Amino acid sequence: MAPRVVSPLLLLFPLLISLLRLSHGAGIAVYWGQNGNEGSLADACNTGNYQFVNIAFLSTFGGGQTPQLNLAGHCDPTTNGCTIFSDQIKGCQANGIKVLLSLGGASGSYTLNSADEATQLANYLWNNFLGGQSSSRPLGDAVLDGIDFDIEAGGGSHWDELAQALNGFSSQKKVYLSAAPQCPIPDAHLDSAIKTGLFDYVWVQFYNNPPCQYSSGNTNNLINSWNQWTSSQAKQLFLGVPASTAAAGSGFIPADVLTSQVLPTIKSSPKYGGVMIWDRYNDGQSGYSNAIKGSV
């Protein structure tokens, strides 16, 4: 019998499949910036636990206000003190970690009152944090990977126009967009924005919302809500969880429950992207990401 000749294309096929899996691999996102005792941005990235870090927050903008960072005790943005994180951002990115600037937060002074304000903010973000140029870049010359929408105030209008305006810059350099809606559907602030289909990552906050979160050993409400979210226009969907009971008012999922009951169920979704943790300080205290990273 003649020897069987294997096509080089067939030999490449398993490699291509593995590369595709890696490129769409699940990961852990974390919020950093709201506790001066959580360590530096470099410390967070050097754990090797996170694939995404959201710098939180740009908490003042819109309504004629000058946009303003608030990184708690880490630095004073009014004296250009936050430029010290430029090299740390670059170091995180060199390790394959996407670093995004998060807009909003639970307490801030922010709003968008018109499409024009949305366009102005997009231009500001592009020039001061992304691929554009400005003499007043609050985080120095580091070029962030994208913008996160953690909008919990300021109404529900014009966030879609902000997303569209930011996405317009992707013809020059890809601007990744993420959003952190609450788990009740529709989200009070980000519904129209998410419906644009422009968000690469949507990390839903499955906490502080009893109707759609884990509670007292019961995963049903959480899973039911997750299944509803899989029908959204999010490209990838992340399960947002608190890192400890201290990190949120309710909705904490013990790590063993997450890994044995929740993740095996939700990972069957084609949109599953991973887990988002609030926040770096509490994760450092509890070791939550260490406990779950092998299962994400």
Side-chain angles (χ1 to χ4, degrees):
M1 182 182 289
R4 183 167 172 259
V5 178
V6 178
S7 164
L9 288 175
L10 289 176
L11 292 173
L12 281 171
F13 190 70
L15 176 63
L16 290 171
I17 292 297
S18 64
L19 286 173
L20 283 170
R21 284 175 177 160
L22 282 172
S23 67
H24 292 88
I28 296 176
V30 73
Y31 281 82
W32 172 92
Q34 284 302 292
N35 192 307
N37 296 317
E38 66 194 330
S40 69
L41 181 63
D43 292 336
C45 292
N46 289 340
T47 64
N49 290 359
Y50 314 119
Q51 285 67 49
F52 308 88
V53 176
N54 296 303
I55 295 178
F57 292 104
L58 187 78
S59 59
T60 299
F61 58 83
Q65 302 175 98
T66 300
Q68 187 71 60
L69 275 177
N70 177 357
L71 300 185
H74 286 289
C75 56
D76 182 357
T78 63
T79 60
N80 289 326
C82 301
T83 58
I84 60 171
F85 291 109
S86 184
D87 286 343
Q88 295 184 36
I89 292 166
K90 295 174 188 175
C92 295
Q93 293 168 326
N95 287 323
I97 299 165
K98 287 186 171 62
V99 183
L100 295 88
L101 174 67
S102 186
L103 309 180
S107 60
S109 174
Y110 58 89
T111 183
L112 285 180
N113 297 314
S114 66
D116 186 54
E117 273 197 7
T119 301
Q120 289 178 31
L121 180 59
N123 291 335
Y124 172 84
L125 294 170
W126 172 254
N127 289 320
N128 286 276
F129 295 98
L130 301 168
Q133 292 188 334
S134 168
S135 60
S136 59
R137 292 176 67 95
L139 293 172
D141 63 357
V143 177
L144 299 184
D145 295 290
I147 301 295
D148 174 62
F149 290 45
D150 183 11
I151 306 304
E152 303 181 39
S157 300
H158 309 299
W159 305 110
D160 53 343
E161 291 156 325
L162 177 61
Q164 289 160 349
L166 287 167
N167 183 65
F169 289 112
S170 284
S171 61
Q172 300 176 61
K173 183 185 186 300
K174 169 65 178 175
V175 177
Y176 288 92
L177 297 178
S178 65
Q182 309 291 312
C183 53
I185 297 175
D187 183 78
H189 304 287
L190 291 171
D191 183 56
S192 62
I194 292 170
K195 283 179 176 175
T196 64
L198 296 175
F199 285 83
D200 301 283
Y201 317 111
V202 174
W203 17 76
V204 183
Q205 298 184 46
F206 289 97
Y207 49 92
N208 294 336
N209 287 288
C212 47
Q213 69 185 28
Y214 171 83
S215 178
S216 304
N218 190 329
T219 63
N220 291 339
N221 289 348
L222 175 73
I223 299 300
N224 288 339
S225 180
W226 171 272
N227 289 337
Q228 291 180 56
W229 273 102
T230 60
S231 299
S232 73
Q233 285 80 3
K235 294 175 184 176
Q236 283 194 306
L237 202 60
F238 288 64
L239 183 82
V241 297
S244 66
T245 54
S250 61
F252 174 70
I253 310 173
D256 61 330
V257 175
L258 185 77
T259 56
S260 66
Q261 297 181 45
V262 179
L263 290 179
T265 301
I266 69 173
K267 285 171 74 171
S268 62
S269 166
K271 289 192 176 181
Y272 171 78
V275 173
M276 176 273 279
I277 294 177
W278 176 269
D279 61 349
R280 170 60 194 155
Y281 172 75
N282 286 287
D283 189 34
Q285 298 292 305
S286 68
Y288 198 79
S289 62
N290 283 331
I292 69 167
K293 63 183 180 181
S295 302
V296 171

